Amino acid sequence: MTIEISEVGNLPAALTTFVGRHRELAEVRRGLGTTRLLTLTGAGGMGKTRLALEVAAASATDFADGVWLVDLAPVTDPSLTANAMATALGVPDLGTRPVIDQLAAFLAHRAPLVVLDNCEHLVDACAELAHTLLSASPGLRILATSRRTLGIPSERVFTVPPLAPDDAVALLLDRTTAVRPEFRITDGNRAQVRQLCDGLDRLPLAIKLAASRLRTLTVDEALHRLEDRFRLLTSGSPVARPHQRTLRALIDWSHELCTPAERLLWHRLSVFAGGFGLDAAEAVCAGDGIDGDEVLDLLDRLVVQSVVLATEHEGRPRYRLLETIRQYGRERLAESGEEEGLLRRHRDFFLALAERLADRWFGPGQQEGLVRLRVEHANLRAALDCGGDPQAALALAAALRYHWCVGGFLGEGRRQFDRVLAAAPEPTPARARALWAAAWVAGLQGDLGAVHRWLDEAGELGERLDDPVVRAYVQSLRGTSAYFRGQMEEAVPMFEGAVTAHAALDEGAGTVFTLFLLTAAHTANGDPRAAETGRQAVALAEAHGERWGRAQALWALGHAAWARGDGEEAIALTRLALEAQRGFNEYVGTALALELLAWPTAAGGDHQRAGRLLGAVRSLFRDIGTSLEAFGPYGAEQHARCEEAVVRALGPAAYENALAEGGSHRGPDEAIAFALRTEPEPIAAIPAPAPAPSPLTLREREVAELVAKGMSNRQIASALGRSPRTVDGHVENILAKFGFVCRAQIAAWWTANQAPTA
């Protein structure tokens, strides 16, 4: 497969011009061609990160597996260094083995360039990480930035120098004209401009901060003010100023030139880890000297002064402080006595965000919610580390259950649950919720001992506190444990009771989750109720615009179709499941769906395609350090039969080639695109081609048309002036008349037939 290089990697878009550094850029790029670990060192503010990013962007075409930025500034615990890299590369942390081992397996057959940025406070951890990964992956290159070298034998060091005199002047001109377009360097001020740049040691960050002040000062005025400050700094010492003292003096000066409100916001923004959005800044930083409607204006002013950097992620504006600036603000915040209160406000904001997204999970916006949590991962970790309220930590860990279980952070979720549950043993509602969420995490890791221990306590608390939601999830998860152990006679009644309990509470997420598992259990038992149970799950998910549970239910229905010998139906349903999985980066769910798709594909005679699908499955499981066998004996048995048929048809060598081709796709979304692109056109409409004339009534045709437009039942009811219950009945009739199982098939039928409404 040909990979578009621009689509591989996570480098941020450059929002300002890269000025000068042509010699350094060429030298570092040459160094990457001859060494596998190159560290850019130098004082703070020297421009190490910007140079590394420019080198990485210029080298993109040299690395088929992409160029990746790992920002280590927000990481305070050395043991989480590998986790930060896994998150940046999109490697899910399932917690089944150390993250560094998962990374080694993931990178073993890849050749990316990874930028490890801001290593100085994690030097030992970064050295171990680099050594392990470079040993495991012959194609890996690492470009590190650090004030200290990593100190391992394979490291080559490039010391980033101050800007060349002409480059320093060019940078000052570029950044000054951004805030003062009429500014020019003339014969009358050229000498003072050079003197100003030299006085700033030609440090890029210092020059940018000074340029923001030329919005209101002349070059002469700025030069004289800085000379006064540096004279105080050195106290007449004949020893030259170290670069760091120069930068500190300039940051002090920038701080003093801010208004009191700007300074206050600067201090308060320092509690954020890894960036923040406007909503977070307004919620955490407003009050006690800053009005809520002032925050945006103050942020804009700090951006103009180069104190805050404006960025963008997933189309949403975000902000961040360079680490040197953030540390300065944090020192000032601590001096003010506000630090503890601001950290609590930070925690409370992210607790509220996590609970809001969890409450809204069963409906539209699941993928966007997971993206938001992934973007805020460093802030969420900081919020969990905020001391003083163990119950709040329990509540936050539980509210992040979809982040842990669906978003690819199982390992970290398990570590957080272990910690917060140990710190808060009191029998509270927050502990009860955290216990069942922790049991879900442990179950997905295969740790059934922890599942039973936590569910037993959660069940006791649910009874004691009379919490029906806790009791329903405990019953559902006990059924899941029995299913994983192959004890279907125990699992089925547990699931049936849990479905009833969730439905009585109008708890849609739990209902769909349990129905899809009940479908799988019925299939394993050969129970003919499997198809009807799965259709209930799909219909409930579709009625609420929910995607993730719908994908699981469609997969379970596909299994049921395969088990009863309907390969065409199994393919149709599995393709729909894969479509619903797009964008979730869900390795396990995608791999299981691709595995299922391979079975009827091979049975239908297309052994080449089946081999490629099995290759994609193998690659996804290899990347996360697990295998199909971990998900029960049924799938492993079917896989063995499918593989035997493919090898018999193709021969061992051709089968290995098919596996390699199928395994060349990076991550779930590429694998899904490959599977759907290389299959025939979707056969969602094939189960029952529409007869002519249509068997639908006029009202049913109107409903079908609106379903095809993507409207929910409630929206259709509003558009047609009917009750939601009436529309529900029309949709059920359409499904029954065509033998369809989901709304997507109605939409596909409508598109193919363009049925008239009159």
Side-chain angles (χ1 to χ4, degrees):
M1 182 191 70
T2 301
I3 297 176
E4 283 291 328
I5 296 299
S6 61
E7 296 179 0
V8 183
N10 69 339
L11 295 186
L15 300 179
T16 56
T17 308
F18 183 73
V19 177
R21 297 282 198 200
H22 300 299
R23 183 188 64 80
E24 292 92 335
L25 187 62
E27 190 169 340
V28 174
R29 288 199 67 187
R30 283 196 300 271
L32 279 177
T34 59
T35 188
R36 298 179 59 214
L37 170 60
L38 180 60
T39 301
L40 307 185
T41 64
M46 195 63 76
K48 300 182 293 296
T49 295
R50 185 62 192 269
L51 177 60
L53 292 177
E54 200 68 20
V55 168
S59 305
T61 55
D62 300 332
F63 296 92
D65 290 309
V67 287
W68 302 87
L69 171 65
V70 182
D71 181 10
L72 296 174
V75 180
T76 57
D77 182 349
S79 69
L80 297 177
T81 305
N83 299 67
M85 185 168 176
T87 299
L89 270 64
V91 180
D93 172 14
L94 300 186
T96 51
R97 56 179 174 158
V99 176
I100 194 169
D101 292 347
Q102 294 182 55
L103 275 170
F106 181 84
L107 292 170
H109 52 285
R110 291 183 167 89
L113 170 64
V114 174
V115 179
L116 282 182
D117 193 29
N118 294 302
C119 298
E120 51 273 345
H121 60 304
L122 304 164
V123 165
D124 292 341
C126 289
E128 179 186 359
L129 180 66
H131 176 74
T132 300
L133 298 183
L134 289 170
S135 299
S137 172
L140 174 66
R141 295 289 186 277
I142 295 177
L143 179 60
T145 74
S146 178
R147 297 180 196 177
R148 299 165 53 197
T149 63
L150 302 190
I152 60 178
S154 58
E155 180 183 30
R156 176 175 171 181
V157 177
F158 179 85
T159 302
V160 180
L163 289 168
D166 287 345
D167 288 347
V169 170
L171 180 62
L172 184 75
L173 176 62
D174 181 84
R175 298 302 190 262
T176 304
T177 53
V179 296
R180 185 178 163 189
E182 72 277 10
F183 178 79
R184 298 290 184 273
I185 296 177
T186 66
D187 291 341
N189 67 6
R190 191 179 308 279
Q192 289 90 340
V193 167
R194 284 193 175 275
Q195 188 178 352
L196 176 61
C197 293
D198 289 342
L200 296 170
D201 292 344
R202 303 197 302 278
L203 288 172
L205 178 55
I207 290 171
K208 293 170 190 175
L209 291 172
S212 73
R213 293 302 161 194
L214 294 180
R215 181 167 49 109
T216 54
L217 298 175
T218 67
V219 176
D220 250 356
E221 288 170 336
L223 184 58
H224 288 135
R225 293 193 183 201
L226 284 172
E227 284 177 343
D228 290 342
R229 178 164 295 282
F230 291 144
R231 192 175 300 113
L232 290 172
L233 181 70
T234 58
S235 300
S237 168
V239 180
R241 290 190 313 274
H243 292 314
Q244 279 307 110
R245 293 171 70 189
T246 298
L247 186 58
R248 177 71 185 206
L250 193 65
I251 295 175
D252 280 337
W253 183 53
S254 293
H255 185 263
E256 290 174 11
L257 291 176
C258 288
T259 66
E262 291 168 353
R263 288 197 292 267
L264 192 57
L265 183 60
W266 178 349
H267 304 166
R268 292 176 178 178
L269 291 173
S270 69
V271 300
F272 291 104
F276 53 91
L278 176 61
D279 59 341
E282 289 176 332
V284 175
C285 300
D288 300 324
I290 300 177
D291 291 337
D293 55 7
E294 282 187 289
V295 172
L296 178 57
D297 181 56
L298 292 172
L299 263 178
D300 286 342
R301 282 148 58 181
L302 289 176
V303 168
V304 169
Q305 296 170 62
S306 296
V307 172
V308 172
L309 300 180
T311 62
E312 185 177 289
H313 194 285
E314 302 285 343
R316 298 181 58 166
R318 282 182 69 79
Y319 303 89
R320 68 183 181 93
L321 282 72
L322 290 176
E323 188 59 16
T324 303
I325 302 291
R326 192 193 70 80
Q327 289 174 357
Y328 181 94
R330 192 63 172 267
E331 291 173 15
R332 294 297 185 124
L333 184 66
E335 292 169 2
S336 72
E338 280 197 329
E339 185 177 29
E340 186 176 337
L342 261 293
L343 289 172
R344 284 197 301 269
R345 285 159 66 173
H346 175 276
R347 179 202 61 207
D348 291 345
F349 172 81
F350 286 102
L351 171 58
L353 172 68
E355 289 184 330
R356 185 167 66 251
L357 292 176
D359 290 343
R360 296 176 181 174
W361 173 258
F362 190 65
Q366 291 176 325
Q367 182 181 341
E368 294 79 7
L370 290 176
V371 168
R372 177 69 191 275
L373 293 176
R374 189 160 57 246
V375 168
E376 302 290 6
H377 189 72
N379 280 311
L380 295 169
R381 184 183 288 154
L384 283 163
D385 288 340
C386 179
D389 189 349
Q391 296 300 312
L394 283 174
L396 179 54
L400 291 172
R401 56 191 176 274
Y402 298 110
H403 182 55
W404 309 135
C405 295
V406 184
F409 293 94
L410 269 183
E412 180 151 357
R414 177 63 184 273
R415 289 186 292 274
Q416 294 289 359
F417 276 122
D418 285 340
R419 183 175 64 85
V420 300
L421 287 169
E426 298 81 10
T428 62
R431 181 172 178 84
R433 289 190 293 272
L435 282 165
W436 73 253
W440 185 19
V441 169
L444 291 175
Q445 291 181 311
D447 187 352
L448 298 184
V451 171
H452 297 157
R453 184 172 67 254
W454 282 333
L455 286 181
D456 285 346
E457 185 183 351
E460 292 174 7
L461 278 180
E463 294 295 338
R464 186 191 310 181
L465 300 169
D466 193 24
D467 189 327
V469 174
V470 170
R471 291 199 299 264
Y473 274 104
V474 167
Q475 190 170 15
S476 177
L477 290 166
R478 280 179 172 155
T480 305
S481 175
Y483 175 82
F484 284 164
R485 298 194 310 272
Q487 297 175 353
M488 301 304 161
E489 69 286 350
E490 179 183 342
V492 168
M494 285 285 185
F495 287 145
E496 289 174 340
V499 167
T500 300
H502 283 299
L505 295 165
D506 197 23
E507 221 285 319
T511 305
V512 169
F513 177 79
T514 311
L515 279 171
F516 108 72
L517 288 166
L518 180 57
T519 302
H522 281 329
T523 300
N525 279 343
D527 191 323
R529 293 177 295 172
E532 177 57 31
T533 303
R535 282 195 288 268
Q536 290 178 34
V538 171
L540 181 58
E542 289 186 341
H544 290 81
E546 195 270 4
R547 283 180 53 202
W548 182 77
R550 174 176 174 268
Q552 314 310 311
L554 286 165
W555 170 81
L557 270 175
H559 260 286
W562 171 250
R564 66 174 182 267
D566 192 341
E568 185 175 278
E569 179 81 349
I571 290 176
L573 292 165
T574 307
R575 286 176 60 83
L576 290 171
L578 287 168
E579 286 283 3
Q581 288 273 14
R582 285 185 190 267
F584 280 106
N585 196 42
E586 224 267 84
Y587 277 70
V588 171
T590 301
L592 292 175
L594 292 171
E595 174 71 33
L596 174 58
L597 186 60
W599 305 341
T601 300
D606 195 342
H607 298 98
Q608 185 73 27
R609 181 176 295 157
R612 292 172 184 150
L613 290 169
L614 293 178
V617 172
R618 184 177 71 171
S619 177
L620 291 172
F621 278 140
R622 179 181 58 195
D623 285 347
I624 59 177
T626 189
S627 65
L628 183 64
E629 287 74 14
F631 302 93
Y634 177 78
E637 292 168 3
Q638 295 294 320
H639 173 88
R641 294 193 184 100
C642 178
E643 185 173 53
E644 182 182 354
V646 173
V647 172
R648 187 168 55 247
L650 299 181
Y655 174 56
E656 286 300 324
N657 288 337
L659 287 175
E661 183 177 345
S664 66
H665 310 284
R666 188 189 190 284
D669 278 353
E670 280 193 13
I672 290 171
F674 161 73
L676 297 180
R677 184 177 63 249
T678 57
E679 291 284 339
E681 285 302 304
I683 61 175
I686 288 179
S694 167
L696 303 184
T697 67
L698 176 61
R699 179 65 71 193
E700 287 168 352
R701 291 201 298 271
E702 291 176 333
V703 170
E705 181 179 12
L706 296 178
V707 167
K709 292 180 179 179
M711 296 174 69
S712 69
N713 285 7
R714 191 171 298 277
Q715 290 170 323
I716 294 171
S718 176
L720 297 180
R722 295 290 185 270
S723 72
R725 186 177 295 276
T726 299
V727 173
D728 290 344
H730 287 316
V731 172
E732 287 299 323
N733 288 340
I734 297 169
L735 292 171
K737 286 181 178 181
F738 288 133
F740 292 163
V741 298
C742 61
R743 297 163 67 87
Q745 290 174 294
I746 297 175
W749 172 85
W750 178 267
T751 301
N753 290 272
Q754 290 294 300
T757 58

